[in-house]
Amino acid sequence: MNPLIQFTLFLADSNLILSQKNAEWCGHGPILEQDIAITNITLDLLGQARYFYQYAAELMNQAGHTHITEDSLAYLRTEREFKNLLLCEQPNGDWAQTVLRQFFYSVYQQSLYQQILQQSNSQLSAIAEKSLKEITYHIKWSSEWVVRLGDGTPLSHHKMLQAIKALWPYTGEFFTPTDFEKEIIPIDYEKLKMQWIDSVQNVLEEAGLPMPQNIFMHTGGKLGSHTEHLGYILAEMQYLQRTYPNAQW
Amino acid sequence: MKIKIKKFYYGDIPGDEAGESIASPTITNDKAWPLWEIFIRSKQGLDHKHAGSLHAADAAMAIENARDVYTRRQEGISIWAVESKNIHASNPDDAESFYEPASDKIYRHPGFYQLPDEIKHM
């Protein structure tokens, strides 16, 4: 498959899966106002994913596939075809784990999209430009929660420590380029990593949380090798379209 | 559960020492976040108008919550948040002495002046 299509699907899938996970909070948030906040972020991520899927579908139809749509890409692909980051499919855990997952992802998204903005692909850079405004708010919201909980009570601090332990091993994948990433657009992964580490370190320091060092990092999500969680997510997300093909409402 | 009953007037928001509101007994959880009144300005040049109230742990969170709750359909360009306990309301029982004395003083309306023709938009 064309590397540009793979890269676009990787961007779309990561957003869609994180959006699907965050959406599980809908109606279950710790307080009404934060329930709405996380749901707004969920919808932002889903909106960004749709732009990427629409673009991927267009590229795929041009490349000889037929009848590919944003819906068929989201609902009719299997686990091995999904290229989302492993971080995005990790369980919600408690509120601490959810806000930390969002924080790690949003900071990564910001640096990556800023680089995509500089690229010659006008479609991707247009989507990146539109998304960056939303991402700025997601970082503000999630980083404030990381500080609030990390620097809060002994219990909330403990929960943030648990969340870091659970999620940190999935952040190395951000900076490990796959073949399709190397082939399409020149992304500076060293710069990406430095920016991410820098932003995350600032916030963790303010939150009084330690920065993990030299931990084994899982990779493979971008190439379709997922953790056990993704199958369940897809089963729930896709079952309606698979049971009643082309159902509409 | 011990329930204290106290009468509240509109706009009279229970403080820490107040009893429970009859309408919403769940608010009394002592871990609940304080209530904030939210004012939204819809356009440059217009006033901030009361949009509603919400819970938040601090002022920054109140403004962000207001952004998420009250401006998601482009309702505003500016937000004010005031902690509800800082708002003092008049007592409806005072209505007779407060407002009724003004009802027979129509001379307080500026309707008894001859306006020169040159003055427009009055």
Side-chain angles (χ1 to χ4, degrees):
Chain A
M1 198 191 277
N2 169 337
L4 177 59
I5 296 174
Q6 295 194 56
F7 184 67
T8 308
L9 283 175
F10 150 66
L11 296 172
D13 290 342
S14 295
N15 265 28
L16 177 66
I17 297 301
L18 183 56
S19 165
Q20 178 74 12
K21 289 308 292 177
N22 280 345
E24 289 173 16
W25 278 105
C26 185
H28 302 275
I31 188 165
L32 175 72
E33 291 81 356
Q34 292 300 324
D35 192 300
I36 297 174
I38 188 87
T39 314
N40 275 348
I41 291 174
T42 297
L43 291 176
D44 287 348
L45 293 173
L46 184 63
Q48 296 164 12
R50 287 191 58 190
Y51 289 120
F52 289 126
Y53 279 130
Q54 286 162 8
Y55 180 48
E58 190 188 319
L59 292 172
M60 290 171 83
N61 289 327
Q62 281 167 10
H65 298 264
T66 46
H67 308 306
I68 304 280
T69 64
E70 52 175 325
D71 285 338
S72 71
L73 290 173
Y75 290 129
L76 300 177
R77 283 183 308 142
T78 60
E79 194 182 338
R80 291 303 297 261
E81 292 170 281
F82 267 77
K83 302 179 189 312
N84 61 280
L85 293 165
L86 298 175
L87 178 86
C88 300
E89 68 200 41
Q90 295 311 303
N92 285 350
D94 52 18
W95 187 248
Q97 190 160 323
T98 297
V99 296
L100 187 72
R101 185 182 60 195
Q102 187 62 49
F103 174 63
F104 283 170
Y105 183 68
S106 295
V107 173
Y108 163 73
Q109 246 190 326
Q110 187 180 50
S111 304
L112 179 65
Y113 287 21
Q114 274 165 353
Q115 291 204 35
I116 293 174
L117 204 56
Q118 313 299 327
Q119 305 295 332
S120 54
N121 185 314
S122 60
Q123 276 285 353
L124 286 184
S125 61
I127 302 171
E129 187 178 6
K130 187 173 185 305
S131 307
L132 276 165
K133 289 176 200 146
E134 295 169 343
I135 293 166
T136 305
Y137 184 75
H138 301 168
I139 293 177
K140 181 173 162 59
W141 179 87
S142 58
S143 63
E144 283 172 10
W145 266 110
V146 171
V147 173
R148 192 175 286 131
L149 295 179
D151 195 22
T153 64
L155 178 63
S156 71
H157 181 81
H158 174 71
K159 289 193 174 193
M160 279 315 294
L161 288 178
Q162 294 295 108
I164 291 175
K165 200 174 150 200
L167 297 178
W168 193 265
Y170 299 101
T171 58
E173 192 183 16
F174 296 171
F175 320 110
T176 315
T178 55
D179 288 341
F180 68 78
E181 286 167 279
K182 288 179 199 155
E183 278 176 50
I184 44 142
I185 45 180
I187 288 184
D188 185 343
Y189 283 86
E190 275 308 304
K191 187 175 163 197
L192 198 63
K193 186 173 183 178
M194 267 171 44
Q195 285 177 337
W196 190 85
I197 295 276
D198 202 41
S199 305
V200 168
Q201 191 156 24
N202 279 342
V203 170
L204 290 189
E205 241 168 53
E206 199 185 331
L209 294 163
M211 191 90 169
Q213 305 291 339
N214 299 324
I215 284 181
F216 172 77
M217 295 289 190
H218 300 277
T219 55
K222 293 172 181 174
L223 294 174
S225 302
H226 292 281
T227 61
E228 67 272 28
H229 306 297
L230 184 65
Y232 293 99
I233 299 169
L234 294 186
E236 187 174 22
M237 189 176 78
Q238 297 183 333
Y239 92 95
L240 198 111
Q241 277 303 320
R242 290 191 183 279
T243 315
Y244 305 98
N246 303 317
Q248 297 206 337
W249 61 302
Chain B
M1 195 173 81
K2 197 173 131 201
I3 298 178
K4 282 186 285 179
I5 293 178
K6 187 183 166 191
K7 190 175 172 188
F8 288 102
Y9 298 110
Y10 177 74
D12 187 7
I13 309 299
D16 290 344
E17 310 83 33
E20 291 185 87
S21 152
I22 303 160
S24 50
T26 50
I27 293 182
T28 55
N29 176 356
D30 61 356
K31 284 182 181 161
W33 292 343
L35 195 64
W36 300 74
E37 300 300 320
I38 303 302
F39 300 82
I40 306 280
R41 170 194 281 179
S42 57
K43 259 167 53 178
Q44 207 70 39
L46 294 183
D47 296 335
H48 285 75
K49 288 235 165 62
H50 188 232
S53 52
L54 49 73
H55 292 96
D58 52 45
M61 196 202 273
I63 288 176
E64 285 173 25
N65 285 350
R67 179 259 188 200
D68 284 326
V69 176
Y70 293 116
T71 68
R72 56 205 296 271
R73 299 182 188 87
Q74 293 187 297
E75 290 95 334
I77 55 158
S78 167
I79 297 170
W80 285 353
V82 181
E83 205 173 336
S84 306
K85 70 176 185 192
N86 294 325
I87 293 189
H88 303 269
S90 63
N91 187 335
D93 290 349
D94 293 336
E96 217 170 285
S97 59
F98 262 47
Y99 310 113
E100 276 182 30
S103 65
D104 61 350
K105 300 184 173 66
I106 53 165
Y107 50 84
R108 289 178 179 169
H109 294 274
F112 298 90
Y113 305 95
Q114 294 286 344
L115 285 180
D117 292 340
E118 294 79 39
I119 297 181
K120 307 221 161 43
H121 311 301
M122 280 293 282

